[in-house]
Amino acid sequence: MARKIVITSGKGGVGKTTVTTNLGVMLSKLKLKVLILDVDFGLNNLDVVMGVENRVVYDVVDVLKGKCRAKQALIQDFFNPTLYVLPSVHSVNNVDITSDQLNFIISQIDGLFDYILIDCPAGIELGFYRAIKCATEAIVVTTPHISAIRDADKVLSILNSLKLTNVQVLINRIRGDMVIDGEMFSVKTIKEFLKCDVVGIVPEDDSVSRALVSGGAVNDSSISNEAFKMVASNLHNGTHLEYDCTKKYKGFFGGIRKKVKRLV
């Protein structure tokens, strides 16, 4: 059976879908079979981020209506053959899909994968509860901003009251130069506030925005690529690797890089 992990957040705009996509890519590069499922049926865009929107034939609703089997709705990623996407709802009409129905779909393909990553709607509304009822583990994505951290703390309180086997935090879009200057919360401060295991640290990286435009994951030479590799290793191998966002801004040359960063 697959490890079913919901990727969630208390606040929108923290990069949850980007994290889901890149984590799926990195796990697939470890020769693992990975399925990504978008259950944000109101604002679903995972297929767009993955660059497969023009290849969608069947979606979740088609599976529920019996038009196809769940396996037939899967889309294989062009560049990572062990990575698949199950397209979300593409109808303009509101569709009321329950967690039981989602679990029914997942049960049809559970045995085909090592990981099923569930991209959850932000916040703690109905869509949040629908998503977490389909998962056994959770990753809460936050950024180093007080509003995102406070909202992540609220989500963690809910998740810790449920019967999940593993709940972790991923800190996204952290800038090492601002951390050094005391203008952004450090990883240590966020850990102390949330009191939760951290599965990974991902830096602010312009290549992520470029990847979103072109569709797909970050390129192999980007700084966030290394960070996501660490996240995948931590998740699958139980390691405790942390990307040091402040390293390149330390020392004499680091000071120069920091000044240049502020001018860009």
Side-chain angles (χ1 to χ4, degrees):
M1 290 180 63
R3 288 177 64 180
K4 294 176 278 292
I5 304 173
V6 62
I7 316 293
T8 185
S9 67
K11 185 178 182 296
V14 297
K16 179 170 46 60
T17 298
T18 302
V19 167
T20 305
T21 301
N22 284 281
L23 180 55
V25 169
M26 292 307 168
L27 287 170
S28 71
K29 288 184 176 180
L30 295 177
K31 307 303 180 184
L32 298 163
K33 292 198 73 174
V34 184
L35 171 66
I36 300 178
L37 171 60
D38 188 352
V39 298
D40 187 348
F41 298 130
L43 298 171
N44 52 298
N45 57 13
L46 182 63
D47 56 348
V48 177
V49 174
M50 289 292 295
V52 299
E53 71 275 16
N54 294 325
R55 297 169 56 202
V56 175
V57 177
Y58 298 113
D59 62 22
V60 170
V61 174
D62 294 318
V63 179
L64 290 176
K65 289 183 176 180
K67 292 182 178 179
C68 68
R69 299 190 308 274
K71 189 175 180 180
Q72 290 176 288
L74 302 179
I75 300 176
Q76 186 178 33
D77 185 69
F78 271 132
F79 305 104
N80 303 281
T82 61
L83 177 63
Y84 292 78
V85 178
L86 179 57
S88 185
V89 179
H90 284 75
S91 170
V92 294
N93 299 318
N94 290 327
V95 179
D96 185 18
I97 298 177
T98 67
S99 56
D100 288 339
Q101 289 174 315
L102 277 176
N103 273 317
F104 171 72
I105 293 173
I106 291 172
S107 69
Q108 295 182 43
I109 48 180
D110 192 352
L112 302 176
F113 296 97
D114 299 300
Y115 284 87
I116 296 177
L117 304 181
I118 303 168
D119 190 8
C120 174
I124 51 175
E125 306 301 325
L126 177 62
F128 166 78
Y129 288 97
R130 177 175 54 203
I132 62 177
K133 286 181 180 178
C134 299
T136 54
E137 303 177 51
I139 295 176
V140 180
V141 180
T142 187
T143 57
H145 305 96
I146 188 62
S147 58
I149 296 170
R150 287 185 181 278
D151 286 349
D153 189 47
K154 294 173 185 176
V155 170
L156 285 168
S157 297
I158 296 172
L159 293 174
N160 289 330
S161 69
L162 303 175
K163 295 180 180 180
L164 296 175
T165 59
N166 191 23
V167 178
Q168 300 181 86
V169 169
L170 185 144
I171 304 172
N172 192 31
R173 298 176 60 185
I174 189 164
R175 279 185 54 175
D177 60 319
M178 294 183 72
V179 170
I180 288 177
D181 287 346
E183 298 173 347
M184 179 174 279
F185 289 119
S186 67
V187 171
K188 180 181 178 182
T189 300
I190 297 171
K191 283 181 177 179
E192 291 174 348
F193 186 92
L194 295 178
K195 297 180 176 61
C196 182
D197 292 335
V198 173
V199 70
I201 315 295
V202 179
E204 180 73 62
D205 183 5
D206 290 341
S207 68
V208 172
S209 297
R210 288 192 290 270
L212 289 174
V213 172
S214 59
V218 294
N219 61 64
D220 291 344
S221 61
S222 68
I223 58 173
S224 55
N225 181 73
E226 181 183 349
F228 278 116
K229 280 183 180 178
M230 293 180 178
V231 178
S233 175
N234 292 342
L235 190 64
H236 186 65
N237 300 317
T239 52
H240 301 281
L241 305 171
E242 284 191 6
Y243 185 88
D244 186 357
C245 300
T246 64
K247 184 178 179 180
K248 69 176 185 177
Y249 298 110
K250 294 176 180 177
F252 176 75
F253 291 106
I256 294 174
R257 290 192 193 97
K258 187 169 61 173
K259 289 179 180 179
V260 171
K261 177 74 172 179
R262 296 305 177 93
L263 294 174
V264 175

